[in-house]
Amino acid sequence: MLSDKRILLIITGGIAAYKVLEVIRRLRERGADVRCVMTQSAKEFVTPLSVQTLSENPVADDLFDLTQEDEIGHIRLSREADLIVVAPASADFLAKMANGLANDLASAVVLASNKPILAAPAMNPFMWNHPATKRNIARLAEDGVSFIGPEIGEMAERNEAGRGRLSEPLEIVAAIDAKLERRGRLSGKRVLVTAGPTHEPIDPVRYIANRSSGKQGYAIARSAAEAGADVTLVSGPVELAAPHGVHQVKVETAQQMKDAVEAALPADIAIMAAAVADWRVDAEASEKIKKDGSGKPPTLTFTENPDILNWLAHSDERPGLVIGFAAETTKVLEYARAKLKRKGADWIVANDVSPEAGVMGGDENTVHIVRVDNGQASIETWEKMPKADVAEKLVSFIADHLD
Ligand code: C5P
């Protein structure tokens, strides 16, 4: 049931817009309050009258209509909603969202919003597969926008098939339901997340690092914040922006990461997704190391870095739930089980990062949850899914466990 929920539905132009009438009907059946904003081109496909009749609310459609703006200002529209749904989300509208344009009511509402956004793209498969659209989707995912679909199937244009069909109305409603259900499940909880690689300096210009992109850890921080947690994200050097509402602490080295983790305590839940370098160079050279003409390479000696997870799991301030990660290239489960014991974590999220699995730096992940509850060891394998979905599922899993 969605009876206490307010959904702001943004309808953009596309032949699939007619299916959204069914989405509105289903949402109303479940008791949701549905407000709709239509773009100019959406009105070429469905009439505001149908939308208004089904949603039982006036349709907002023009940023420059002063009466409307007065009655249902775009800031108010976005602030009052529990969730913003963009369906169908056209290629054009996604491009606008990705670039922060706000030249009509629909895009202004999205830009002025601090609410979670779910987009249901629908477009021609060529448009969906275009590098520009891919870039926009990746950017929006980084900004925290969730997606449902598009699906593979026949297009409205005859003889065209491929990925681009709007998801079925009931699927969209289910995604809305799932997204709203997670809200508030971790409210009042302090969550500490580590993410990204660490950089261990060799000299002022060189460092040792690893291929961690930080995407999985950032997605987890975002999902936990969406679920209402107070999130601190301790991050190594990555190219990602801090998710909305997350307190981000940027560090470079493993030692700095440990200090930042310590400073962020106490926490109820710790999710250690960072790929911390195991070793650092013994003594960082104060000047750039030069070739000395002898043809002999310099010798680097290493010291072991602190194991942050191990230290945290055994500290006096141990969070109630400590989750480690295990990125392995072989014997994934065997190593994960051993790691669980050795490091004192409650759960280990294990994944295969062998080059064939293509996970490192990618957008998808196949994970296994290895855990011991009341002395019982168990392993659960989740199918391959986008890192954002792994994050949402992990947050739900944590909330179920706490319940
Ligand atoms: O031993 P390994 O690096 O494979 O263990 C991975 C897990 O341990 C991850 O959760 C990682 O964040 C954590 N770790 C850590 N400090 C280290 C090394 C790993 O917290 N120095």
Side-chain angles (χ1 to χ4, degrees):
M1 287 310 276
L2 295 167
S3 48
D4 53 343
K5 303 295 186 219
R6 283 179 164 233
I7 292 161
L8 180 64
L9 178 62
I10 295 179
I11 308 172
T12 77
I15 189 71
Y18 76 94
K19 282 200 203 170
V20 165
L21 297 177
E22 177 74 7
V23 174
I24 300 173
R25 218 164 64 83
R26 299 295 184 182
L27 289 173
R28 291 292 299 134
E29 254 172 32
R30 285 162 177 71
D33 179 66
V34 185
R35 287 274 178 157
C36 298
V37 175
M38 297 177 77
T39 62
Q40 211 51 40
S41 54
K43 287 188 272 176
E44 305 288 331
F45 297 92
V46 284
T47 69
L49 186 61
S50 325
V51 172
Q52 184 161 316
T53 308
L54 287 171
S55 67
E56 297 169 69
N57 266 319
V59 171
D61 58 2
D62 192 349
L63 182 56
F64 305 106
D65 178 329
L66 290 179
T67 342
Q68 263 192 6
E69 189 49 17
D70 192 36
E71 286 169 4
I72 38 169
H74 62 288
I75 304 284
R76 226 183 83 206
L77 269 178
S78 59
R79 295 294 152 81
E80 283 176 356
D82 294 301
L83 177 68
I84 296 182
V85 179
V86 186
S90 65
D92 176 70
F93 197 75
L94 291 167
K96 284 171 77 171
M97 281 172 71
N99 288 288
L101 297 188
N103 60 353
D104 60 7
L105 180 63
S107 51
V109 162
V110 172
L111 195 66
S113 152
N114 57 355
K115 294 298 160 70
I117 302 175
L118 174 72
M123 65 196 73
N124 175 280
F126 281 95
M127 289 172 121
W128 175 252
N129 287 318
H130 195 285
T133 303
K134 286 190 174 152
R135 213 160 43 229
N136 292 334
I137 296 287
R139 228 161 156 189
L140 289 168
E142 269 177 29
D143 290 348
V145 174
S146 312
F147 292 93
I148 163 101
E151 309 301 327
I152 294 175
E154 292 268 319
M155 293 289 112
E157 299 95 330
R158 270 203 272 157
N159 306 326
E160 290 250 10
R163 191 171 290 282
R165 266 175 77 91
L166 183 72
S167 296
E168 289 307 319
L170 282 177
E171 295 291 323
I172 297 177
V173 172
I176 291 171
D177 216 10
K179 189 123 184 112
L180 285 170
E181 196 195 286
R182 272 189 301 275
R183 287 186 67 70
R185 291 198 72 196
L186 292 186
S187 68
K189 299 288 175 205
R190 290 181 57 124
V191 175
L192 169 65
V193 181
T194 67
T198 62
H199 285 183
E200 307 298 333
I202 297 171
D203 65 21
V205 298
R206 304 182 178 98
Y207 58 82
I208 294 173
N210 59 64
R211 293 186 198 279
S212 168
S213 66
K215 286 179 189 169
Q216 188 61 80
Y218 272 62
I220 291 168
R222 173 178 302 117
S223 293
E226 274 184 16
D230 172 5
V231 183
T232 300
L233 171 62
V234 178
S235 166
V238 293
E239 295 293 317
L240 304 170
H244 248 325
V246 165
H247 175 57
Q248 183 195 40
V249 183
K250 287 285 265 282
V251 298
E252 293 218 344
T253 65
Q255 187 58 53
Q256 289 166 1
M257 187 171 273
K258 177 171 182 262
D259 294 343
V261 165
E262 198 164 3
L265 295 174
D268 300 296
I269 302 155
I271 306 166
M272 314 294 275
V276 186
D278 289 322
W279 302 281
R280 66 174 178 274
V281 176
D282 214 354
E284 178 188 349
S286 57
E287 303 288 340
K288 182 181 169 192
I289 301 171
K290 308 287 285 177
K291 282 189 268 193
D292 64 5
S294 70
K296 276 204 216 129
T299 305
L300 298 177
T301 55
F302 291 91
T303 305
E304 202 166 308
N305 268 330
D307 188 315
I308 307 168
L309 172 59
N310 200 323
W311 160 79
L312 182 66
H314 296 96
S315 82
D316 293 342
E317 286 196 278
R318 187 192 197 279
L321 183 62
V322 176
I323 305 174
F325 273 67
E328 306 288 356
T329 51
T330 52
K331 299 188 187 160
V332 180
L333 294 180
E334 190 182 321
Y335 285 150
R337 265 194 228 107
K339 207 162 282 178
L340 185 75
K341 260 212 202 113
R342 181 160 39 88
K343 300 209 180 198
D346 298 302
W347 306 351
I348 290 280
V349 180
N351 64 354
D352 182 352
V353 290
S354 56
E356 311 84 73
V359 165
M360 218 77 180
D363 291 318
E364 294 201 311
N365 208 351
T366 309
V367 304
H368 315 269
I369 311 291
V370 183
R371 57 181 184 152
V372 181
D373 279 324
N374 306 321
Q376 263 321 91
S378 69
I379 294 176
E380 191 174 313
T381 297
W382 296 349
E383 79 265 30
K384 184 173 184 174
M385 59 180 101
K387 287 180 176 171
D389 293 359
V390 171
E392 294 199 341
K393 199 163 164 163
L394 185 65
V395 165
S396 294
F397 206 68
I398 292 170
D400 288 347
H401 171 82
L402 297 180
D403 285 350

